[in-house]
């Protein structure tokens, strides 16, 4: 039985430095590759024009052009409009496919079982290339279901509607997409995103209010960030995952403004939505330390260290809808507890916490442990 066909649809601008890696990662994966350029000037167009002549390992390559109107959903919908295959997937110009062999097997065996597929998006990595920020994103769609992108920025595809109540949604656990954007590029994105959001600030819904607040936070405008984040999370239509992250960034913004009691209050609001979210417990603990109350910080850091941290590897390749800060679940609360216990002279407890953090790969914990052992040896000598 012949498998369904699938195309890759991408929007790009000035991605010449990334495109060879993108194409290398998708060899033999797609029947068609549709690239929509939104105004490149770095040689991207010429590079792609060559691929339209030669194809790519059996896949036809198509180059389209879209006049950029500061609307990512419009650009993606235009990109999708050229696809005539049974299914369509998307990536950005700074994304690569991780585990193409698994992709090919999934494509040939399982793809046709669902209309809408989510996959893990490894968005941030440490200096060793290990994913430290992963979450689920919509990734593959059945073309004849008529899915469309929504929102001019931080765009998404809603998997159901009154017209498509029977959409079959599933999660791909065997392959993922890896994001490769540099810090300089992300800073540039931030300025662009704020400029676009500024134009629409009088008509933003709850989701966009959250994102406006987050962009303000990332830009260091903490007072304005609090306003927009709290406005977004207070809207009954705000989705739960946006509300949790909105409260989290609002708490961080209050910390940046030295309003520690308010940050604690907001963190407790977040914990009512998800008591297993270590980011809130860590924020509470840090606030108590900044306020000079280390005893009150201990229960918060203990709660953080006991939160379960589920990676895509520990859950069979499935990432959650909300990204996690790994250190909040692993080394950070243990290091903070080690410092507190050491300052109180509870050296055995400090050694346990520092040892656990060190075994998780923390160089800082190694230094703390060395200091604790040094103090203990001096006590024995005296």
């Amino acid at each position: 039985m012949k498998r369904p066909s699938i195309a890759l649809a991408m929007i790009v601008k000035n991605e010449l430095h990334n495109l060879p890696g993108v194409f290398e990662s998708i060899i033999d994966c797609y029947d068609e590759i549709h690239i929509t350029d939104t105004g490149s000037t770095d040689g991207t167009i010429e590079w792609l024009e060559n691929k339209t002549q030669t194809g790519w390992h059996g896949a036809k390559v198509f180059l389209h052009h879209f006049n950029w109107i500061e609307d990512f959903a419009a650009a993606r919908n235009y990109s999708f409009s050229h696809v005539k295959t049974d299914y369509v997937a998307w990536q950005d110009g700074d994304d690569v496919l991780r585990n193409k062999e698994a992709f090919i097997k999934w494509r040939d065996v399982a793809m046709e079982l669902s209309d809408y597929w989510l996959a893990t998006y490894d968005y941030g990595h440490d200096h060793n290339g290990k994913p430290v920020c992963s979450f689920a994103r919509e990734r593959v769609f059945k073309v004849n279901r008529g899915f469309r992108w929504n929102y001019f920025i931080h765009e998404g595809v809603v998997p159901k509607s009154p017209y498509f109540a029977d959409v079959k949604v599933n999660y791909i656990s065997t392959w993922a997409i890896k994001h490769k954007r540099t810090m300089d590029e992300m800073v540039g994105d931030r300025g662009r995103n704020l400029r676009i959001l500024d134009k629409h600030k009088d008509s933003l819904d709850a989701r966009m209010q959250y994102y406006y607040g987050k962009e303000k936070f990332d830009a260091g405008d903490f007072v304005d960030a609090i306003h927009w984040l709290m406005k977004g999370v207070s809207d009954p239509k705000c989705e739960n995952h946006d509300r949790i992250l909105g409260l989290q960034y609002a708490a961080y913004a209050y910390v940046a403004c030295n309003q520690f009691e308010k940050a604690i209050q907001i963190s407790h609001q977040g914990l009512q939505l998800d008591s297993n979210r270590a980011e809130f417990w860590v924020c509470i603990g840090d606030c108590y330390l900044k306020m000079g109350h280390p005893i009150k910080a201990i229960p918060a850091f203990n709660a953080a260290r006991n939160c379960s941290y589920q990676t895509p590897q520990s859950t069979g390749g499935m990432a959650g809808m909300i990204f996690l800060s790994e250190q909040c679940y692993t080394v950070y609360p243990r290091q903070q507890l080690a410092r507190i216990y050491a300052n109180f002279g509870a050296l055995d407890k400090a050694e346990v916490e520092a040892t656990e953090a060190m075994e998780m790969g923390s160089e800082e914990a190694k230094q703390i442990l060395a200091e604790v052992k040094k103090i203990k040896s001096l006590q024995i000598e005296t």
Side-chain angles (χ1 to χ4, degrees), residues 2 17 19 36 38 64 76 95 101 111-112 131 133 142 145 155 168-169 175 189 206 214 219 226 249 252 275:
K2 186 179 179 181
H17 58 300
L19 282 173
T36 297
T38 62
H64 313 285
R76 292 202 191 280
D95 293 334
E101 292 78 14
M111 182 175 69
E112 64 181 334
C133 175
K142 195 170 186 178
R145 298 311 301 261
E155 65 281 8
K168 298 174 183 176
V169 180
W175 57 266
D189 290 348
K214 184 177 181 305
I226 291 168
Y249 281 102
Y252 292 165
S275 60

Side-chain angles (χ1 to χ4, degrees), residues 148-168:
R148 289 185 62 80
W149 292 90
N150 300 288
Y151 294 107
F152 52 85
I153 197 168
H154 296 297
E155 65 281 8
V157 176
V158 180
K160 57 186 177 181
S161 75
Y163 307 104
F164 300 114
D166 62 336
V167 166
K168 298 174 183 176

